Amino acid sequence: DKRGTLDLRPIDPMHAPTELMPLIGSVNALLGRVEENFESQRRFIADAAHQLRTPLAGLRSQTELALAEEDPAALRQALGRLDQASARAIHLANRLLALARAGTVHAPAHVAGPLAPLARAIAEEMVPRAIGRDIDFGLEVDAAAADVRIRADPLLIGELVSNLVDN
């Protein structure tokens, strides 16, 4: 009762009755897991802030350039770049939310399967964006790599491959 809400130190069993030892052990194990989850959330928030800082700084710079522009054609181009940059920031925020949901709604479902079809599906999803940016984009799977199998959460592997391609 005297502890604060963030005090997750184990309960000291020193003066507890013997019959409470299993309960104290279970509560201490639970407190340890809660502390691990809090630490994981802190790391995720720090990583998310770091990931969002770069595109937001870019948006800010592009906004300042657009505000200084007087030529209507150049202003239109600057606004187009702002639109693309804001779309990238939104895309990143959506990815971060997907990762947050993957880690908090359920334990990751580790599925065994080939990596190439997953990478191919993600690449196919990214083709319209590449075409919109005039980027020559494709996926080539080496014959030796075609049989690579993984055991992982498909959502998280999808995010990993998407991030690699997007970068």
Side-chain angles (χ1 to χ4, degrees), residues 10-22 24 28:
I11 296 170
D12 182 9
M14 182 69 77
H15 302 291
T18 306
E19 58 271 9
L20 289 181
M21 292 303 177
I24 291 172
N28 284 343

Side-chain angles (χ1 to χ4, degrees), residues 24-38:
I24 291 172
S26 294
V27 169
N28 284 343
L30 175 63
L31 289 171
R33 289 191 305 272
V34 169
E35 176 65 29
E36 287 175 15
N37 284 334
F38 279 161

Side-chain angles (χ1 to χ4, degrees), residues 77-139:
Q77 285 181 336
L79 290 174
R81 287 190 301 271
L82 266 171
D83 182 54
Q84 290 174 348
S86 65
R88 283 192 302 272
I90 289 168
H91 181 70
L92 176 59
N94 287 336
R95 284 186 176 178
L96 290 169
L97 286 171
L99 285 172
R101 287 186 194 114
T104 58
V105 174
H106 66 283
H110 291 99
V111 177
L115 179 58
L118 178 60
R120 189 171 289 113
I122 292 164
E124 287 172 2
E125 290 175 13
M126 300 184 94
V127 166
R129 285 188 18 227
I131 290 171
R133 295 179 185 169
D134 290 330
I135 296 172
D136 183 16
F137 176 75
L139 174 69

